[in-house]
């Protein structure tokens, strides 16, 4: 076929599946050549319930029509008819005993494959000549309310709430040389792909998420496997004799792309027939970009615009969540929390992550809670530093290392902390022998705890030894009123909980908690609130930093 053709919207645009009612969608009117064809199909026929019961009774030794009728409460004439049919098909012998074929039929539930001719439509891309791997018995058109400037205006869901949309007309005004008609085998393959996609979707619908695959799903999957070559006929000549291909109709097909979940993602291509996956449109987008240079820009611009709206919506929702969370935090912690901007910022970040939900959300919740404890311990060590001369300090001589370790374990126990099962008290802390033994001398020389430990970079495990010494050592000026005492009084298992919190930050590979996402989020929230109560009880630093 060498004729040229300019596509126009006359009867509307083809629509075979309803687009999603929500989300950011980019609509396109895609040119197609619609062929009405008569195609051979092999259909699998299953045993009906009467046939299955009669065959099962024959296998069990009940083979007389009257006996079978009495068992299943049906007429003897019906049972005799079913037996004759099973015998004619070679599934029972003259005595009514199932043959090997009959036993196989009883196990699989399939009677056989019956040839059938269907009148359907296949769609060809006019630029590449490729057939869409789908077929449609009827051409369903969506009315177009107006066309102009390369755009078509439609109203979807007219039976319910009208949804006005604008769809870009791909190749608008392009004069195309029509490709050759599809071959018989190409049409057969397209019809077969449609049948397989329908069976795959049917198998998904029969999946029981509680108990695994249902018997119905297994049956459909066996059919899908049996039909993997259902439309392959032995000789192309035979195909041509039974296949009728009409003249093509130049139409437009309504397709849509969904914006990706992240700004860096490309558009998500969906099957306009509702039988994902279908890579056809993604391939055609690449081919048509050369013929319609504005197509890529239009898709990219629409995607950018949708992301801008998503970001704006996200910002609005985030502000709403933040305002509600701040009110709740003030109710729980008092108005003083507003005088601690660093503390409040971390708490609001935790609430925002909790509002997102899901596995990634809980990891963010745990990270924010963990950061709050890092912040708390940095404040404690900075504002309640350990004594220059702890009780175990030997003066001019360096204290024995075992003496220092024993003092740290005694401090944790005296404070009332539960001992972790894994590694004990010392396993919950991180410190070097040189740093701990040398800290009194360095502190006495500089009178600045930052000369001993880098507070801005120190981790919870590195900060804990200094906080414990300050809270418990009898030589510490803070040992009676140290804020850590109040926190441990509320959470004696703090060392264990901090370890769990650290694991929960990477839930997928390290988490040990056996709880739902919601329970984990609430656990993190309560843990963070206890840290925040300590921070609120402390004088606000000028200025507060996170």
């Amino acid at each position: 076929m060498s004729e040229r053709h300019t596509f126009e919207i006359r009867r509307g645009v083809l629509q075979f599946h309803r687009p999603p009612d929500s989300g950011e969608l980019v609509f396109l009117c895609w040119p197609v050549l619609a062929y009405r064809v008569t195609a051979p199909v092999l259909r699998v026929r299953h045993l009906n319930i009467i046939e299955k019961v009669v065959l099962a009774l024959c296998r069990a030794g009940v083979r007389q029509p009257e006996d079978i009728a009495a068992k299943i409460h049906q007429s003897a004439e019906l049972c005799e008819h079913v037996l004759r049919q099973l015998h004619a098909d070679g599934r029972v012998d003259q005595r009514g005993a199932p043959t090997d074929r009959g036993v196989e039929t009883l196990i699989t539930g399939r009677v056989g494959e019956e040839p059938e001719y269907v009148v359907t439509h296949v769609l060809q891309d006019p630029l590449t000549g490729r057939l869409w791997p789908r077929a449609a018995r009827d051409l369903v058109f969506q009315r177009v309310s107006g066309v102009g400037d390369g755009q078509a205006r439609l109203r979807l869901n007219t039976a319910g709430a009208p949804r006005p949309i604008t769809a870009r007309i791909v190749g608008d005004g392009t004069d195309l040389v029509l490709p050759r008609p599809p071959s018989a085998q190409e049409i057969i393959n397209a019809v077969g792909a449609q049948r397989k996609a329908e069976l795959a979707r049917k198998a998904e619908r029969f999946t029981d998420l509680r108990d695994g695959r249902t018997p119905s799903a297994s049956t459909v999957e066996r059919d899908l496997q049996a039909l993997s070559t259902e439309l392959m006929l032995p000789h192309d000549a035979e195909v041509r004799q039974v296949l009728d291909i009409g003249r093509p109709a130049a139409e437009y097909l309504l397709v849509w792309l969904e914006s990706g979940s992240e700004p860096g993602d490309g558009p998500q291509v969906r099957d306009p027939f509702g039988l994902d996956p279908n890579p056809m449109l993604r391939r055609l987008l690449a081919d048509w970009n050369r013929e319609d240079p504005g197509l890529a820009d239009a898709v990219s611009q629409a995607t950018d615009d949708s992301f801008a709206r998503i970001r704006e919506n996200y910002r609005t929702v985030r502000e709403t969540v933040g305002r509600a969370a701040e009110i709740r935090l003030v109710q729980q912690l008092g108005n003083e929390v507003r005088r601690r901007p660093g503390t409040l910022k971390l708490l609001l970040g935790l609430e925002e992550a909790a509002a997102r939900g899901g596995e990634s959300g809980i990891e963010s919740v745990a990270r924010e809670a963990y950061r709050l404890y890092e912040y708390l311990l940095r404040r404690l060590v900075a504002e309640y530093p350990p004594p220059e001369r702890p009780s175990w300090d030997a003066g001019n001589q360096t204290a024995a290392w075992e003496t220092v370790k024993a003092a740290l374990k005694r401090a944790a126990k005296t404070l009332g902390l539960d001992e972790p099962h894994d590694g004990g008290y010392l396993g919950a802390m991180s410190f070097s022998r040189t740093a701990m033994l040398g800290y009194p001398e360095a502190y006495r020389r500089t009178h600045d705890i930052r000369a001993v430990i880098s507070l801005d970079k120190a981790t919870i495990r590195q900060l804990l030894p200094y906080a414990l010494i300050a809270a418990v050592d009898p030589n510490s000026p803070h040992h009676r009123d140290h804020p850590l005492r109040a926190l441990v009084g509320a959470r004696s298992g703090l060392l264990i909980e901090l370890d769990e919190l650290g694991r929960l930050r990477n839930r997928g590979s390290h988490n040990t908690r056996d709880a739902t996402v919601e329970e984990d989020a609430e656990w993190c929230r309560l843990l963070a609130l206890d840290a925040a109560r300590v921070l609120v009880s402390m004088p606000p630093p000028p200025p507060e930093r996170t």
Side-chain angles (χ1 to χ4, degrees):
M1 181 182 293
S2 58
E3 60 181 294
R4 305 183 71 84
H5 192 88
T6 300
F7 282 72
E8 296 177 356
I9 297 179
R10 301 181 182 86
R11 294 186 285 178
V13 296
L14 293 168
Q15 183 186 347
F16 298 110
H17 182 64
R18 178 173 170 170
D21 293 328
S22 60
E24 295 290 337
L25 305 179
V26 179
F27 289 96
L28 302 171
C29 292
W30 203 276
V32 293
L33 294 170
Y35 288 86
R36 184 178 184 272
V37 298
T38 303
V41 179
L42 295 178
R43 297 290 183 186
V44 170
R45 189 174 80 80
H46 292 274
L47 288 173
N48 62 43
I49 186 63
I50 299 295
E51 292 172 323
K52 191 168 186 177
V53 170
V54 169
L55 191 54
L57 286 172
C58 288
R59 191 181 186 187
V62 182
R63 295 165 184 170
Q64 296 303 314
E66 295 80 6
D67 297 335
I68 295 173
K71 290 281 188 184
I72 66 174
H73 306 290
Q74 298 292 330
S75 69
E77 290 79 5
L78 174 61
C79 296
E80 186 176 1
H81 170 76
V82 172
L83 281 169
R84 281 200 305 269
Q85 188 64 46
L86 291 172
H87 179 260
D89 293 340
R91 290 180 172 80
V92 297
D93 59 21
Q94 290 182 343
R95 296 178 293 106
T99 61
D100 291 342
R101 184 181 181 188
V103 173
E104 181 183 357
T105 299
L106 188 59
I107 294 172
T108 64
R110 288 199 303 269
V111 175
E113 299 173 346
E114 299 177 348
E116 175 186 336
Y117 296 98
V118 297
V119 177
T120 188
H121 297 82
V122 293
L123 305 181
Q124 184 184 39
D125 180 67
L127 180 66
T128 65
R130 289 199 294 266
L131 280 190
W132 286 75
R134 297 290 183 263
R137 289 183 179 272
D138 300 303
L139 297 182
V140 181
F141 289 91
Q142 177 68 47
R143 190 170 64 87
V144 173
S145 59
V147 176
D149 298 326
Q151 307 280 339
R153 295 180 295 280
L154 303 87
R155 292 175 69 85
L156 303 182
N157 309 340
T158 52
R163 180 186 182 186
I165 67 163
T166 300
R168 187 182 192 279
I169 302 173
V170 176
D172 183 44
T174 302
D175 189 19
L176 293 173
V177 177
L178 298 187
R180 62 166 180 77
S183 68
Q185 193 60 63
E186 287 173 334
I187 293 174
I188 288 173
N189 292 341
V191 176
Q194 172 74 19
R195 172 69 172 145
K196 284 182 242 181
E198 289 173 343
L199 279 172
R201 177 57 52 85
K202 190 175 181 181
E204 288 178 4
R205 285 201 300 266
F206 279 131
T207 298
D208 188 329
L209 295 179
R210 295 167 302 172
D211 302 317
R213 311 298 291 181
T214 65
S216 298
S218 300
T219 299
V220 173
E221 288 177 336
R222 285 197 299 269
D223 289 351
L224 183 58
Q225 185 177 7
L227 288 168
S228 60
T229 56
E230 67 169 10
L231 298 176
M232 297 299 293
L233 298 186
H235 301 293
D236 193 58
E238 293 182 25
V239 175
R240 282 196 293 269
Q241 291 174 7
V242 299
L243 194 65
D244 176 35
I245 306 177
R247 285 186 58 80
E251 306 289 355
Y252 278 95
L253 171 65
L254 182 65
V255 303
W256 55 90
L257 297 82
E258 295 183 21
S259 297
S261 58
E262 298 293 339
D265 295 345
Q268 305 297 308
V269 177
R270 299 304 181 196
D271 181 18
F273 295 81
L275 296 171
D276 286 313
N278 182 356
M280 179 74 173
L281 183 55
R282 186 172 295 279
R283 290 200 296 262
L284 291 180
L285 278 169
D287 294 329
W288 272 86
N289 279 338
R290 294 187 292 271
E291 188 70 25
D292 185 351
L295 176 60
D297 292 339
V299 171
S300 176
Q301 182 60 48
T303 303
D304 291 343
D305 291 344
S306 69
F307 277 129
R309 287 191 292 273
I310 290 172
R311 283 194 295 268
E312 178 61 25
N313 292 339
Y314 177 73
R315 185 185 64 80
T316 302
V317 171
R318 184 175 58 185
E319 290 177 355
T320 303
V321 170
R323 285 193 296 270
E326 183 172 342
I327 292 172
R328 186 169 62 252
L329 290 169
V330 169
Q331 292 172 344
Q332 294 172 321
L333 301 171
N335 200 55
E336 280 293 309
V337 72
R338 288 194 167 117
R339 298 181 59 201
R340 278 77 173 174
T343 302
L344 184 59
K345 180 180 178 182
L346 288 169
L347 288 170
L348 291 177
L350 184 149
E351 294 294 339
E352 181 186 336
R356 288 200 298 270
E359 293 289 344
S360 60
I362 186 57
E363 291 179 7
S364 298
V365 170
R367 278 195 293 271
E368 294 300 322
Y370 200 83
R371 287 180 62 200
L372 194 63
Y373 272 89
E374 286 180 332
Y375 177 57
L376 169 61
L377 284 166
R378 287 167 184 164
R379 287 277 312 276
L380 288 177
V381 174
E383 297 175 33
Y384 299 84
E388 294 182 1
R389 289 188 180 275
S391 58
W392 43 264
D393 181 38
N396 294 330
Q397 289 183 323
T398 302
W401 179 230
E402 294 301 322
T403 302
V404 176
K405 290 195 295 183
L408 287 174
K409 288 193 287 187
R410 186 167 56 252
K413 188 174 182 178
T414 302
L415 196 61
L417 285 166
D418 295 338
E419 185 171 10
H421 298 297
D422 186 13
Y425 288 124
L426 296 182
M429 296 178 260
S430 176
F431 50 85
S432 70
R433 176 172 178 168
T434 303
M436 286 305 300
L437 292 178
Y439 115 75
E441 181 182 352
Y443 194 16
R444 286 195 296 270
R445 187 174 63 253
T446 62
H447 304 291
D448 185 0
I449 194 62
R450 288 179 173 80
V452 177
I453 181 172
S454 176
L455 294 181
D456 292 338
K457 297 180 180 179
T459 65
I460 287 176
R461 288 174 175 267
Q462 293 168 336
L463 293 163
L464 270 171
Y466 299 98
L468 282 174
I469 295 169
V472 177
D473 193 282
N475 289 352
S476 170
H478 315 294
H479 77 276
R480 296 187 184 277
D481 59 351
H482 196 286
L484 190 59
R485 288 183 172 272
L487 179 59
V488 174
R491 289 191 174 273
S492 61
L494 183 63
L495 296 181
I496 301 169
E497 291 172 320
L498 287 176
D499 183 61
E500 284 192 25
L501 188 62
R503 293 174 184 272
L504 196 57
R505 290 180 300 169
N506 190 359
R507 182 186 181 98
S509 59
H510 297 109
N511 181 46
T512 57
R513 286 179 59 80
D514 184 14
T516 65
V517 169
E518 292 77 13
E519 289 172 341
D520 278 341
E522 184 60 21
W523 178 77
C524 290
R525 181 184 284 113
L526 294 175
L527 194 63
L529 281 174
D530 283 339
R533 289 187 180 94
V534 176
L535 286 162
V536 169
S537 71
M538 298 166 60
E544 188 175 7
R545 297 184 301 171
T546 59

